[in-house]
């Protein structure tokens, strides 16, 4: 039996790599513009970081974590999301002594045991960023504007931005009570998951994808009717700032997020054209998380987007991305003696910055020329008996098909000039 990549995972083959490089570059560039520095945290953490941070009753913790006990008896979990590890690192390295907010970003593989489908995998990559140590709504607006500019720079201009405020630990309980009261009238209509959510995680009743539950959510209580004064002012100011920055958003009182740590602002970006339910990215405030993880009370906000989902959207929108520079020169030979010269010349070309491939086997000249074509090179250099004798090479311009004899000593400077290096 042949092994395959585990279900819900895939190889990123060379043909796909240009997309990844493009997104990584745009991510690094936007982070530089907005003052974010890169952080890498381990692929796995102590399990308790996620049970405390993400929340015991969340789907991620209940059903999706890759958890194992290591040889030392410690329970560890493959990162199911990026925020809790960054916060752990912020606390562990005393970053509260740095100038606040501390702005960090990561690009990291993330693991969730999900039912695989298009855009939903068991290993996916997230680009995320966190701004820790500032509670002003102008930071929320700055982050949302940054997200907007990031997608715009990638060429994704058809996204819609949804925004909501889900309150804080002071005002949330009254909203949760209202939700429970409302939904308990309809328990017989709720899907099995939502029946469970009603007692364990009522906020998530609002974003269930089951059609009946969605129907019920239309008339459900709104978080914005239960906000305390501070949350309400925060939300109003955020909207003002977004208007100032000319970021189009839609308030959506049913928008909640999958992880427990969110407070006040939550937002999501969705591809608008397909009525899709799968967000391309989302984020929000998590003013209580650092304290929950053992740090000082510290407000914070962050965002994450899935790289595979970005690629799906780039392809769907037919956005052309810069391709990788290809091989420039192919070196072909005829005969064993010529092969030695070809090997030496190939090394020399590479040392001069010319991307070169040589035929290393003993295939015919015709087969070598076919291979040169598959590499789509600009020039092929051919060394045969005559060339050996005269210390020359045959240089073939692959686009015009023209061949000329060139002295071996002039070849490199000629290629450098032809290839505009
Ligand atoms: P979340 O942490 O759930 O807010 O996810 C942030 C972003 O990561 C989402 O908006 C998606 O783009 C992406 N994402 C989340 N889960 C998956 C998954 N299982 N497969 C692929 N991408 C995902």
């Amino acid at each position: 039996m042949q092994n395959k990549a585990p279900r819900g995972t895939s190889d990123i083959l060379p043909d796909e790599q240009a997309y990844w490089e493009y997104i990584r570059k745009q991510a690094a560039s936007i982070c530089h513009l907005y003052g974010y520095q890169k952080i890498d945290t381990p692929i796995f953490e102590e399990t308790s970081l996620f049970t405390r941070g993400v929340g015991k009753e969340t789907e991620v913790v209940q059903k999706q974590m890759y958890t194992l006990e290591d040889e030392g008896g410690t329970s560890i979990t493959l990162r199911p999301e990026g925020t809790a590890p960054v916060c752990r690192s912020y606390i562990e390295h005393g970053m509260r002594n740095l100038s606040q907010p501390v702005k960090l970003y990561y690009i990291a593989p993330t693991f969730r045991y999900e039912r695989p489908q298009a855009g939903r995998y068991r290993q996916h990559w997230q680009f995320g960023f966190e701004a820790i140590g500032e509670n002003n709504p102008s930071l929320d607006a700055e982050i949302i504007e940054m997200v907007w500019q990031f997608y715009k720079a990638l060429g994704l201009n058809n996204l819609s931005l949804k925004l909501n405020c889900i309150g804080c630990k002071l005002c949330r309980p009254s909203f949760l009570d209202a939700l429970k009261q409302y939904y308990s009238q309809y328990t017989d209509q709720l899907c099995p998951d939502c029946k469970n959510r009603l007692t364990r995680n009522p906020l998530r009743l609002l974003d269930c994808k089951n059609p009946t539950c969605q129907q019920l959510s239309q008339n459900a209580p709104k978080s914005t009717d239960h906000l305390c004064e501070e949350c309400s002012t925060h939300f109003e100011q955020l909207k003002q700032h977004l208007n100032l920055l000319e970021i189009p958003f839609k308030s959506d009182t049913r928008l909640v997020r999958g992880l427990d740590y969110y407070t006040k602002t939550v937002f999501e970006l969705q591809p608008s054209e397909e009525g899709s339910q799968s967000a391309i990215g989302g984020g929000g405030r998590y003013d209580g998380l650092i304290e929950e993880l053992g740090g000082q009370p510290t407000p914070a906000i962050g965002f994450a987007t899935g790289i595979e989902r970005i690629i799906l959207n780039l392809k769907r929108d037919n956005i052309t991305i810069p391709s990788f520079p290809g091989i420039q020169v192919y070196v072909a030979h005829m005969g064993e003696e010529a092969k030695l010269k070809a090997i030496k010349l190939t090394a020399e070309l590479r040392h001069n910055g010319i991307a070169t491939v040589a035929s290393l086997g003993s295939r015919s000249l015709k087969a070598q020329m076919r291979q040169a074509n598959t590499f789509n090179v600009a020039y092929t250099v051919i060394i045969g008996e005559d060339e050996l004798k005269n210390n020359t090479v045959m240089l073939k311009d692959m686009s015009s098909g023209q061949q000329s004899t060139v002295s071996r000593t002039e070849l490199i400077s000629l290629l450098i000039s032809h290839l505009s290096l």
Side-chain angles (χ1 to χ4, degrees):
M1 205 185 73
Q2 237 177 325
N3 286 112
K4 285 188 171 167
R7 195 162 130 76
T9 71
S10 50
D11 302 313
I12 306 168
L13 296 173
D15 275 355
E16 288 286 296
Q17 293 288 347
Y19 282 98
W20 290 78
E21 185 66 13
Y22 175 61
I23 295 165
R24 282 199 184 102
K25 272 202 181 138
Q26 296 289 359
S29 149
I30 200 92
C31 285
H32 169 67
L33 280 178
Y34 285 75
Y36 285 73
Q37 290 182 303
K38 189 154 191 223
I39 183 166
D40 290 306
T41 61
I43 277 187
F44 59 85
E45 297 273 352
E46 289 173 0
T47 302
S48 56
L49 175 70
F50 300 113
T51 45
R52 282 160 80 193
V54 175
K56 276 201 187 76
E57 300 302 340
T58 57
E59 212 141 274
V60 168
V61 169
Q62 291 267 315
K63 298 186 190 159
Q64 298 182 337
M65 295 209 301
Y66 281 88
T67 297
L68 63 108
E69 195 176 292
D70 69 13
E71 292 296 321
T74 306
S75 177
I76 58 170
T77 294
L78 297 185
R79 167 180 42 228
E81 64 92 48
T83 302
V86 171
C87 290
R88 193 261 311 132
S89 181
Y90 174 93
I91 301 166
E92 188 174 335
H93 297 284
M95 293 191 214
R96 66 186 298 263
N97 298 318
L98 305 175
S99 162
Q100 308 291 299
V102 172
K103 293 173 159 182
L104 300 167
Y105 82 95
Y106 58 86
I107 298 177
T110 306
F111 304 86
R112 293 181 188 174
Y113 187 77
E114 305 234 35
R115 194 139 41 103
Q117 50 193 286
R120 194 170 293 282
Y121 314 106
R122 291 183 176 169
Q123 173 179 314
H124 69 279
W125 283 72
Q126 288 194 1
F127 160 44
F129 41 90
E130 319 288 342
I132 307 176
E134 171 62 66
N135 61 14
N136 198 284
S138 56
L139 177 62
D140 306 30
E142 186 188 85
I143 277 224
I144 293 172
E145 200 254 345
M146 174 176 170
V147 168
W148 193 257
Q149 296 306 334
F150 168 65
Y151 289 124
K152 201 168 138 191
L154 286 170
L156 296 173
N157 297 315
N158 290 324
L159 300 179
S160 69
L161 166 64
K162 287 191 198 170
L163 186 67
N164 194 16
C165 180
I166 56 169
C168 63
K169 66 178 177 204
L170 285 182
C171 54
R172 178 96 50 84
S174 104
F175 175 49
L176 296 184
D177 282 346
L179 277 179
K180 283 187 196 162
Q181 217 169 26
Y182 170 79
Y183 277 103
S184 14
Q185 308 168 76
Y186 305 106
T187 35
D188 50 334
Q189 296 176 45
L190 291 174
C191 74
D193 276 345
C194 278
K195 280 191 180 127
N196 227 330
R197 288 176 181 135
L198 188 54
T199 47
R200 302 175 81 159
N201 197 2
L203 215 51
R204 291 311 299 271
L205 285 156
L206 292 172
D207 70 345
C208 179
K209 305 289 182 263
N210 174 293
T212 316
C213 301
Q214 279 203 340
Q215 189 67 34
L216 289 171
S217 73
Q218 302 283 344
N219 296 318
K222 299 181 166 82
S223 59
T224 43
D225 290 338
H226 292 262
L227 298 180
C228 61
E229 205 179 318
E230 191 191 310
C231 286
S232 169
T233 311
H234 188 98
F235 195 35
E236 283 316 307
Q237 287 183 352
L238 166 60
K239 290 191 277 190
Q240 280 168 18
H241 282 113
L242 288 176
N243 286 330
L244 175 78
L245 294 168
E246 297 177 32
I247 303 298
F249 63 88
K250 287 184 199 139
S251 286
D252 179 351
T253 56
R254 279 178 296 153
L255 178 67
V256 291
R257 308 263 305 129
L259 317 177
D260 268 1
Y261 49 62
Y262 288 107
T263 53
K264 292 185 179 156
T265 308
V266 290
F267 61 99
E268 261 181 18
L269 285 107
Q270 294 204 337
S272 44
E273 71 275 1
E274 66 166 332
S276 141
Q277 296 173 340
S278 47
I280 185 169
R285 265 203 172 270
Y286 48 90
D287 290 344
L289 180 58
I290 302 256
E291 192 179 2
E292 181 67 40
L293 296 176
Q296 300 289 323
T298 311
I301 180 164
F303 166 81
T305 180
I307 297 190
E308 292 84 352
R309 281 201 200 163
I310 294 179
I311 294 175
L312 282 177
N313 280 278
L314 289 174
K315 288 182 177 171
R316 193 171 40 214
D317 290 1
N318 290 321
I319 292 168
T320 32
I321 54 153
S323 52
F324 282 143
I327 301 291
Q328 294 159 307
V329 171
Y330 186 89
V331 181
H333 66 268
M334 283 179 286
E336 279 309 299
E337 210 183 328
K339 181 175 171 180
L340 297 179
K341 290 270 179 209
I343 290 172
K344 184 90 171 68
L345 172 64
T346 302
E348 222 176 297
L349 291 171
R350 289 169 179 160
H351 302 164
N352 280 278
I354 300 170
T356 310
V357 163
S359 166
L360 298 179
S362 50
R363 57 187 85 187
S364 69
L365 183 63
K366 203 167 155 198
Q368 292 180 64
M369 296 312 286
R370 262 202 309 272
Q371 194 179 36
N373 273 324
T374 63
F375 283 121
N376 211 9
V377 291
Y379 293 95
T380 296
V381 174
I382 305 159
I383 308 177
E385 258 174 47
D386 285 352
E387 287 77 22
L388 264 182
K389 245 189 270 154
N390 304 327
N391 201 25
T392 57
V393 300
M394 182 71 81
L395 184 64
K396 179 168 181 184
D397 178 331
M398 299 298 275
S399 54
S400 69
Q402 268 181 358
Q403 300 198 149
S404 51
T405 300
V406 174
S407 129
R408 174 74 174 75
T409 47
E410 283 167 14
L411 176 69
I412 293 190
S413 55
L414 193 74
L415 279 173
I416 288 177
S417 115
H418 282 356
L419 294 166
S420 320
L421 293 174

